[in-house]
């Protein structure tokens, strides 16, 4: 599995909505935000389409735009504008042979998790769980999020993940492990079980994050992974941002207490408060890259293979 070729100033970035759309007035803002980073821009034509009230066109339309951007020789990288819903509908239309033959930078998170899983596992491509254009770059591309983003994309031999200043990574279960990083949004990981892009966690480091859900759903989706054998197969687990996760009936039994109990019988390292997900700042992780996590040192280091 390889890192894609680096982006450089003046390169062309394709902007896509693989899940939900943005408003028409937001399209120009997104284009400008990426141009201000020093890139030229190509826009998919479905960015502001309203299909079903929550999707940027049909699954076929969105899947074909993924293909077009990977096939376009002028496009050097692909940034997802936002997540949302409906990404699973696009998966059957993606030409993975085409993607594998045309590796390039691909960035997104949230509902984009399905694409990360497929591109990592079926295309041997390292992708980036990093900031999206409308969700992060237009209004709140803070310096720490930006620095982490470019550090991950431009890394040479190794890339050490760093939390924002003043925010320490915590340890749930001690130990050290190495393996390729896989994962993303918890609900999408659970939904992928039984599909062609089901996460293969054997010997891998599993990354999980989630947003705006009750603890009851975190428990249900994590137990789905556990009962499917996905947690027992892991070399280690990294827990990202669990943003606006609530347990109104019993606030003391929070998401970390719930997860600690689920992971209790696993003899693998588990680190949490890793600031990548739906919070801000949002630090970038290279999905599919070879990762070494050391809970004693609280370090997460990736090997860059180009």
């Amino acid at each position: 599995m390889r890192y894609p070729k680096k982006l450089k100033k003046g390169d062309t970035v394709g902007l896509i909505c693989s899940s939900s759309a943005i408003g028409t007035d937001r399209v120009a803002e997104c284009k400008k935000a990426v141009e201000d980073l020093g890139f030229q821009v190509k826009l998919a034509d479905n960015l502001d389409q309203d299909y079903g009230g929550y999707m940027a066109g049909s699954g076929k339309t969105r899947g074909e735009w993924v293909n077009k951007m990977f096939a376009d020789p002028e496009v050097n990288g692909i940034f997802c504008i936002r997540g949302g819903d409906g990404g699973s509908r696009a998966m059957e239309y993606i030409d993975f042979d085409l993607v594998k033959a045309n590796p390039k930078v691909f960035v997104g998170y949230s509902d984009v998790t399905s694409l990360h899983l497929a591109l990592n596992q079926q295309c041997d491509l390292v992708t980036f769980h990093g900031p999206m254009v409308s969700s992060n770059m237009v209004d709140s591309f803070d310096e720490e999020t930006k620095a982490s983003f470019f550090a991950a994309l431009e890394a040479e031999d190794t890339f050490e993940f760093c939390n924002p200043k003043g925010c320490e990574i915590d340890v749930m279960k001690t130990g050290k492990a190495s393996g390729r990083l896989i994962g993303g949004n918890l609900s999408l990981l659970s939904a992928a079980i039984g599909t062609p892009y089901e996460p293969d966690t054997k010997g891998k480091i599993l990354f999980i994050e989630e947003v705006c859900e009750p603890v009851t759903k975190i428990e249900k989706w994590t137990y789905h992974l556990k009962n499917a054998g996905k947690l027992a197969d892991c070399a280690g687990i990294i827990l990202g941002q669990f943003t606006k996760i609530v347990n109104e009936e019993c606030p003391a039994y929070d998401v970390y207490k719930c997860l600690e109990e689920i992971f209790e019988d696993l003899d693998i390292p588990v680190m949490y408060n890793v600031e990548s997900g739906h919070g801000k700042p949002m630090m970038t992780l290279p999905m599919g890259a070879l990762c070494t996590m050391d809970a004693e040192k609280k370090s997460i280091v990736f090997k860059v293979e180009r």
Side-chain angles (χ1 to χ4, degrees):
M1 193 175 296
R2 298 297 182 194
Y3 253 71
K5 185 178 178 180
K6 293 182 187 180
L7 287 178
K8 60 183 185 298
K9 300 291 185 180
D11 279 350
T12 297
V13 172
L15 304 189
I16 64 169
C17 283
S18 60
S19 298
S20 296
I22 56 173
T24 301
D25 58 346
R26 191 72 166 172
V27 174
E29 293 178 310
C30 288
K31 183 174 183 288
K32 183 179 185 302
V34 177
E35 288 174 339
D36 287 347
L37 295 176
F39 302 116
Q40 299 184 65
V41 173
K42 278 196 175 184
L43 302 174
D45 68 3
N46 66 315
L47 303 182
D48 58 351
Q49 284 187 21
D50 182 359
Y51 187 89
Y54 63 95
M55 292 173 284
S58 67
K60 187 172 188 291
T61 294
R62 289 176 282 123
E64 287 181 345
W65 266 112
V66 173
N67 296 337
K68 289 175 186 177
M69 291 299 188
F70 272 101
D72 190 334
E74 294 183 354
V75 172
N76 306 101
I78 302 165
F79 294 176
C80 294
I81 281 187
R82 62 163 300 186
D85 296 287
S88 296
R89 289 198 190 196
M91 297 304 295
E92 65 184 288
Y93 300 103
I94 296 174
D95 185 339
F96 296 114
D97 289 334
L98 182 153
V99 173
K100 191 170 184 178
N102 297 277
K104 54 189 70 174
V105 167
F106 179 86
V107 186
Y109 66 96
S110 193
D111 203 52
V112 181
T113 293
S114 299
L115 279 166
H116 283 305
L117 291 172
L119 300 186
N120 295 160
Q121 297 181 153
Q122 298 188 37
C123 304
D124 296 325
L125 177 64
V126 171
T127 58
F128 298 92
H129 185 271
M132 294 188 286
V133 184
S134 182
S135 304
N136 304 91
M137 296 181 183
V138 172
D139 299 320
S140 56
F141 205 21
D142 63 90
E143 288 305 313
E144 288 187 295
T145 299
K146 185 186 296 185
S148 177
F149 176 63
F150 283 106
L153 266 61
E154 297 173 355
E156 289 288 349
D157 299 314
T158 60
F159 166 63
E160 182 168 4
F161 177 89
C162 295
N163 257 5
K165 293 177 182 177
C167 184
E168 188 173 358
I169 293 174
D170 290 315
V171 175
M172 193 173 288
K173 295 178 75 72
T174 193
K176 182 177 179 179
S178 294
R180 295 199 178 275
L181 186 69
I182 192 169
N185 183 261
L186 177 58
S187 66
L188 273 297
L189 294 174
S190 176
I193 302 297
T195 72
Y197 47 97
E198 175 177 321
D200 175 8
T201 61
K202 192 169 184 62
K204 308 289 200 316
I205 307 297
L206 179 63
F207 168 73
I208 302 172
E209 64 86 29
E210 193 49 88
V211 63
C212 292
E213 298 289 356
V215 169
T216 53
K217 286 191 176 180
I218 303 301
E219 179 180 50
K220 175 175 65 178
W221 291 326
T222 308
Y223 258 106
H224 189 194
L225 296 179
K226 186 172 187 176
N227 292 338
K230 299 301 177 181
L231 302 187
D233 281 349
C234 287
I237 296 173
I238 292 173
L239 300 176
Q241 293 164 327
F242 283 78
T243 307
K244 299 180 182 178
I245 305 297
V246 297
N247 184 1
E248 294 180 350
E249 289 73 18
C250 183
Y253 190 78
D254 64 10
V255 62
Y256 298 111
K257 178 64 175 175
C258 177
L259 291 172
E260 186 176 23
E261 291 183 353
I262 296 172
F263 301 151
E264 186 175 11
D265 61 344
L266 300 177
D267 187 22
I268 58 174
V270 180
M271 297 164 68
Y272 68 106
N273 284 340
V274 172
E275 296 298 310
S276 186
H278 284 77
K280 295 176 182 178
M282 192 285 193
M283 317 305 268
T284 298
L285 289 166
M287 308 306 296
L290 186 59
C291 173
T292 297
M293 59 182 293
D294 188 330
E296 292 184 7
K297 295 181 178 179
K298 297 184 178 180
S299 68
I300 302 170
V301 179
F302 297 92
K303 183 177 180 180
V304 178
E305 304 161 295
R306 294 193 191 275

